[in-house]
């Protein structure tokens, strides 16, 4: 999507050219600007968004969450330069707004509810990455002629998203007779969409639960949700996960299957943070989150080793003895060029929100006294178990390693002192936070956001082990991502207002809920 069409949604994001004849020159007769059957927009929205989120999960978010290492990205310099950071903007937002506009005109309540949820999720992701963001005036170029939308505060955005998600739940609860046949996430199941909406509310309410001066009753909202499951259903199993499954057909396979091998295996290593925590917990997810080192496999063993982020290139090449002694991504993310037999076009999914995350949020809420329903220990156990079962379920049937039994834990896993739900309140919460971070692997930026909120895992740092050197351009781990250069250039007045209000436009200025 090019130039001034972009003005109709979030500022001038992804602006690439300028011409007075733009509309004429850039109208594609095979890609009409208006579609009368609104739901026909859904497959393209979902596919485009899923692919984009999957790709950023792999090459940027997994670095920010300190799950994987890459020397270039973890310099926290050119990989997060304003000329690069437009990659976090969802390019399908205009189509989502078109669905909303047409569904409102036609009184298509279920379609409107789904569109509200998709838009809310996208803006939740974006505001958590950037902070203050064009929102209330965004996506109004066509309807209101707003070419340069103001930046709303993240606080205002959060409140409106929470309201929109509640509206979406109510719209989907109505009996309308609608049939949504183009839904690639939930196959038109409106109850599952309700669960997604309320589970996203849960995520957002927990995220702001430690923020001072919040103008919503976080505890009251949480209690309303959990005390009325018939009205505000939450995810109840992995079957309710908000995930996008790729197809085994050209153009629709998982990005890990089709993209260049270097992007997904050869130069990306498991971090020491992830390796250390998985090993200390005797956690079998290490088999699906990473691959055994090539050196150990050559000796008939399966050993795992991580590499710290922020190493200089020379130090990275000698850490643990070199790349053959370090663990890359798991076989689940194999590229077809690397291994056309084992690589799977459908096994990896784009993960938006899962039942495991929901249960671990509920465990935290109960332990902190934010809800009165349920038992924190039960929620905690359910969340851990759901994470193991989800990842085991994604293993292709032709794999000889890993297989489900390599990943699923024995009962003794839960009996370990480091896992069992025992100890002081602080110790229990730290166990919840760590398990939540582990469960959020490859779920976009959510593991990073949870670390920003809780400080767990504590090992995340730009400082490598003694004897090695840091290549980080900053002195502390990133707290946000700078705005794209397009905004600085074309929406400059609104951009400057946001920076003056929020703080310096760099990687270490904190977003509203993290201050």
């Amino acid at each position: 999507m090019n130039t001034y069409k972009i003005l109709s949604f979030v500022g001038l994001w992804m602006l690439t050219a300028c011409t007075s004849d733009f509309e004429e020159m850039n109208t594609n007769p095979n890609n009409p600007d208006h579609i009368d059957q609104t739901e026909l927009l859904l497959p393209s929205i979902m596919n485009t968004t899923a692919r984009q989120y999957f790709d950023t999960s792999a090459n940027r978010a997994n670095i920010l969450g300190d799950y994987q290492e890459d020397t270039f990205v973890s310099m926290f310099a050119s990989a997060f330069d304003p000329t690069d950071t437009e990659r976090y903007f969802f390019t399908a937002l205009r189509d989502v707004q078109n669905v909303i506009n047409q569904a409102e005109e036609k009184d298509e309540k279920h379609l409107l509810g789904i569109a509200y949820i998709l838009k809310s999720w996208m803006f939740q992701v974006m505001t958590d990455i950037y902070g203050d963001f064009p929102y209330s005036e965004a996506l109004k170029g066509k309807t209101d002629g707003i070419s340069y939308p103001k930046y709303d505060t993240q606080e205002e955005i959060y409140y409106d998203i929470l309201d929109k998600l509640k509206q979406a739940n109510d719209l989907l609860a109505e009996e309308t007779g609608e049939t949504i046949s183009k839904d690639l996430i939930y196959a038109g199941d409106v109850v599952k969409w309700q669960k997604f909406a309320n589970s996203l509310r849960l995520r957002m309410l927990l995220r702001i639960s430690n923020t001072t001066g919040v103008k919503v009753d976080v505890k009251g909202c949480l209690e309303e949700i959990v005390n009325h499951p018939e009205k505000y259903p939450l995810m109840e199993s992995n079957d309710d996960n908000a995930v996008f499954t790729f197809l085994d057909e050209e153009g629709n396979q998982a990005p890990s299957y089709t993209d260049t091998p270097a992007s997904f295996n050869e130069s990306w290593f498991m971090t020491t943070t992830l390796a250390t925590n998985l090993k200390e917990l005797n956690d079998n997810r290490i088999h699906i989150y990473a691959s055994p080192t090539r050196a150990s496999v050559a000796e008939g063993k399966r050993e795992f080793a991580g590499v710290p982020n922020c190493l200089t290139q020379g130090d990275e090449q000698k850490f643990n003895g070199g790349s053959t002694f370090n663990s890359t991504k798991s076989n689940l993310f194999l590229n077809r060029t690397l291994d056309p037999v084992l690589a799977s076009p459908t096994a990896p999914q784009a993960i938006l929100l899962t039942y495991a995350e929901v249960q671990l949020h509920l465990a935290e809420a109960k332990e902190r006294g934010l809800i009165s329903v349920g038992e924190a220990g039960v929620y905690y156990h359910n969340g851990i178990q759901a994470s193991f079962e989800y990842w085991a379920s994604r293993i292709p049937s032709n794999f000889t390693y890993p297989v489900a039994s390599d990943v699923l834990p024995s009962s003794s896993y839960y009996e370990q002192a480091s896992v069992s739900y025992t100890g002081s309140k602080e110790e229990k919460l730290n166990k919840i936070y760590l398990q939540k971070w582990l469960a959020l692997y490859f779920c976009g930026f959510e593991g990073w956001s949870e670390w920003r909120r809780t400080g767990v895992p504590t090992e995340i740092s730009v400082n490598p082990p003694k004897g090695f050197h840091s290549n980080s351009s900053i002195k502390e781990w990133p707290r946000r991502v700078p705005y794209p250069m397009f905004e600085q250039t074309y929406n400059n007045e609104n951009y400057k207002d946001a920076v003056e209000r929020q703080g310096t436009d760099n990687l270490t200025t904190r977003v509203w809920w993290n201050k």
Side-chain angles (χ1 to χ4, degrees):
M1 297 176 63
N2 294 331
T3 65
Y4 288 116
K5 285 191 176 182
I6 272 319
L7 297 176
S8 63
F9 35 116
V10 187
L12 290 116
W13 302 84
M14 304 189 71
L15 184 64
T16 58
C18 182
T19 170
S20 60
D21 299 320
F22 172 81
E23 291 296 342
E24 180 180 351
M25 294 174 65
N26 289 276
T27 298
N28 182 351
N30 298 316
N31 187 22
D33 187 58
H34 181 82
I35 296 177
D36 289 327
Q37 191 175 343
T38 316
E39 71 166 321
L40 292 177
L41 290 168
L42 289 180
S44 175
I45 291 169
M46 293 176 181
N47 184 54
T48 299
T49 300
R51 297 186 71 81
Q52 186 175 1
Y53 199 59
F54 186 100
D55 186 62
T56 54
S57 295
N59 61 38
R60 292 294 187 271
N62 262 9
I63 301 292
L64 289 170
D66 205 19
Y67 298 107
Q68 69 187 36
E69 181 273 346
D70 175 79
T71 301
F72 169 71
V73 178
S74 67
M75 290 170 61
F76 300 126
S78 53
F80 293 98
D81 184 272
T83 59
D84 177 84
T85 57
E86 78 279 355
R87 68 173 60 235
Y88 312 113
F89 170 69
F90 287 106
T91 56
L93 269 168
R94 186 185 69 162
D95 284 340
V96 175
Q97 189 62 45
N98 285 338
V99 172
I100 290 172
N101 295 341
Q102 293 183 43
E104 287 175 338
E105 291 175 6
K106 298 178 181 181
D107 196 30
E108 297 171 315
K109 291 183 171 62
H110 289 176
L111 195 57
L112 180 59
I114 290 171
Y116 274 169
I117 295 166
L118 289 171
K119 180 180 176 181
S120 295
W121 173 76
M122 291 183 200
F123 272 104
Q124 175 260 308
V125 171
M126 292 187 297
T127 189
D128 283 348
I129 292 169
Y130 297 106
D132 293 2
F133 200 74
Y135 178 73
S136 63
E137 292 185 354
L139 306 166
K140 292 185 177 180
K142 181 192 295 186
T143 58
D144 296 59
I146 298 176
S147 297
Y148 305 97
K150 70 176 182 178
Y151 284 62
D152 297 276
T153 67
Q154 185 177 49
E155 181 177 8
E156 293 167 337
I157 295 169
Y158 253 65
Y159 297 155
D160 193 72
I161 291 176
L162 288 168
D163 184 60
K164 284 294 189 295
L165 289 170
K166 192 171 184 178
Q167 291 180 45
N169 175 79
D170 295 342
L171 287 165
L172 290 163
E174 293 192 35
E175 294 291 339
T176 66
E178 287 179 68
T179 300
I180 308 297
S181 61
K182 307 299 181 184
D183 175 8
L184 302 182
I185 295 179
Y186 286 131
D189 189 327
V190 294
V191 175
K192 288 185 183 292
W193 278 104
Q194 284 182 279
K195 292 177 178 180
F196 184 14
N198 296 312
S199 298
L200 185 53
R201 286 175 67 199
L202 180 66
R203 171 193 282 177
M204 296 180 70
L205 288 165
L206 262 293
R207 189 146 297 163
I208 64 175
S209 61
N210 287 318
T211 307
T212 58
V214 172
K215 296 175 185 176
V216 296
D217 180 2
V218 171
K219 186 177 187 299
C221 290
L222 289 169
E223 287 278 30
E224 180 182 37
I225 293 171
V226 298
N227 287 326
H228 300 92
E230 73 292 343
K231 184 175 182 179
Y232 303 111
L234 292 168
M235 292 181 180
E236 298 178 88
S237 73
N238 281 333
D239 289 339
D240 296 329
N241 288 347
V243 292
F244 183 91
T245 303
F246 299 100
L247 303 177
D248 188 9
E249 57 185 42
E250 197 65 36
N252 291 312
Q253 299 103 328
S256 55
Y257 179 77
T258 57
D259 288 358
T260 55
S263 298
F264 281 91
N265 265 75
E266 292 296 278
S267 64
W268 299 76
F269 298 101
M270 174 173 61
T271 63
T272 51
T273 299
L274 183 58
T276 297
N277 282 285
L278 289 171
K279 288 180 179 181
E280 287 182 352
L281 298 177
N282 298 303
D283 196 306
N284 287 342
R285 280 172 290 191
I286 200 168
H287 297 283
I288 200 69
Y289 288 177
S291 291
T293 68
R294 281 177 282 183
S296 69
V297 171
E299 296 178 357
K301 305 174 185 176
R302 289 176 184 155
E303 296 177 350
F304 297 85
V307 180
N309 265 304
C310 303
L311 288 179
T312 63
Q313 187 171 9
D315 283 351
E316 181 199 39
Q317 291 169 348
K318 65 185 180 182
F319 197 83
N320 291 330
S323 61
T324 60
F325 296 92
N326 296 311
S327 295
T328 59
K329 282 196 184 82
S330 81
N331 288 343
L332 189 69
F333 300 98
L334 275 172
N335 181 274
R336 61 184 174 186
T337 305
L338 287 174
D339 194 324
V341 176
L342 287 181
S344 172
T346 60
Q349 294 176 316
I351 305 170
L352 314 187
L353 200 156
T354 66
Y355 168 67
E357 180 186 343
V358 169
Q359 288 293 296
L360 291 164
H361 284 322
L362 291 173
E364 177 189 345
K366 177 63 176 177
E367 186 60 41
R368 292 175 54 197
L370 296 174
I371 60 173
S372 55
V373 173
E375 297 180 19
V378 173
Y379 290 137
Y380 172 75
H381 185 281
N382 289 345
I384 298 172
Q385 182 176 332
S387 177
F388 277 101
E389 291 178 349
Y390 168 76
W391 286 104
S393 73
R394 301 314 305 164
I395 300 173
S397 59
N398 65 323
F399 273 26
T400 57
Y401 171 81
V403 294
S405 59
D406 293 315
V407 175
L408 294 172
S410 66
S411 59
S412 62
Y413 175 83
Y414 300 97
E415 297 166 1
Q416 301 175 92
S418 55
V419 178
S420 65
Y421 202 69
T422 56
S424 65
K425 181 176 181 177
E426 181 181 4
E427 289 170 333
K428 289 177 180 177
L429 284 172
N430 283 333
K431 289 178 181 180
I432 294 170
Y433 297 151
L434 180 58
Q435 287 292 341
K436 198 184 298 185
W437 178 78
L438 289 170
L440 287 169
Y441 174 79
F442 221 87
C443 184
F445 299 89
E446 298 309 313
W448 175 48
S449 291
E450 281 299 300
W451 170 80
R452 287 186 284 169
R453 185 177 72 89
T454 68
V456 177
T458 58
E459 296 88 353
I460 294 180
S461 171
V462 298
N463 300 311
K466 186 176 181 180
F468 292 87
H469 304 88
S470 175
N471 70 351
S472 176
S473 64
I474 52 179
K475 300 299 183 183
E476 63 173 294
W477 199 263
R479 294 287 177 165
R480 65 176 290 276
V481 169
Y483 296 115
M485 184 59 69
F486 309 133
E487 278 296 282
Q488 300 180 34
T489 303
Y490 296 100
N491 197 15
N492 185 256
E493 289 302 314
N494 290 316
Y495 162 80
K496 288 192 296 185
D497 288 343
V499 173
E500 182 178 356
R501 178 177 62 236
Q502 179 171 258
T504 307
D505 185 19
N506 60 25
L507 285 161
T508 57
T509 291
R510 297 187 179 217
V511 299
W512 163 66
W513 51 257
N514 193 215
K515 291 180 179 177

